[in-house]
Amino acid sequence: MSRDVAIALEFEHDIDFEEVLDRLVRMGWKLLREEDAIWYMTDYDWKIQPLAGLAAAKRDMRTSYEAGAAVGMTTRLPDGEIFANVLFHQERTSVSLIPLLEYRTFAHMPEFVDLGWYLERFLAACRDLPIVGTEAGDHR
């Protein structure tokens, strides 16, 4: 059985993916999936780079983004235990946070993902951007 957990932010105008990634890093997020690897996406094709390859990954993402494709990167949230993909959509006015497998759940109800916890951390980095909508879902 699959489970789709996602949070989406919609903006009033185009948002650059690097601006959002930089904001997340300033809030303590790390742009990595493993201790020694970056996972990033161009046009729904996931790729792996060593940590030293962050600049190259961003250049590859920029080329795809400028060509109108979706891009994304796996991130580690500030707690150090939770990972999520951050996806930037083709229309450039929305970004999604897709929590990965080891979801943060409610302590007394572990069958439910704590979407508020994720949303709070995501919004903290983007709060002064022109957000016109938020959406969070957990579909089983």
Side-chain angles (χ1 to χ4, degrees):
M1 181 165 91
S2 70
R3 182 174 196 166
D4 294 319
V5 179
I7 294 171
L9 303 181
E10 186 170 341
F11 302 99
E12 185 175 48
H13 56 71
D14 289 1
I15 297 297
D16 187 71
F17 77 91
E18 285 194 75
E19 179 180 1
V20 174
L21 291 177
D22 290 346
R23 287 168 173 263
L24 294 173
V25 168
R26 285 194 301 271
M27 297 295 294
W29 297 49
K30 295 192 181 342
L31 304 180
L32 54 86
R33 175 64 174 106
E34 299 168 1
E35 292 304 321
D36 61 348
I38 298 163
W39 291 14
Y40 72 100
M41 182 198 75
T42 58
D43 200 21
Y44 301 102
D45 179 27
W46 283 95
K47 303 172 182 181
I48 300 174
Q49 279 274 11
L51 284 181
L54 180 59
K58 285 183 176 181
R59 281 192 303 275
D60 193 15
M61 290 170 69
R62 172 67 56 204
T63 300
S64 290
Y65 197 65
E66 295 299 328
V71 297
M73 187 166 280
T74 301
T75 62
R76 180 183 291 172
L77 279 73
D79 78 337
E81 301 292 322
I82 304 291
F83 291 90
N85 289 332
V86 181
L87 304 179
F88 302 89
H89 306 284
Q90 294 93 330
E91 82 285 344
R92 299 178 184 224
T93 57
S94 65
V95 59
S96 296
L97 181 74
I98 314 294
L100 298 177
L101 299 178
E102 296 295 325
Y103 303 118
R104 168 91 177 216
T105 60
F106 293 106
H108 58 287
M109 295 181 292
E111 67 273 22
F112 294 103
V113 174
D114 187 351
L115 291 169
W117 183 87
Y118 288 98
L119 184 58
E120 182 179 357
R121 277 140 191 85
F122 200 34
L123 283 174
C126 300
R127 69 185 290 165
D128 62 334
L129 293 174
I131 298 169
V132 295
T134 61
E135 188 175 321
D138 179 5
H139 303 279
R140 293 177 259 179

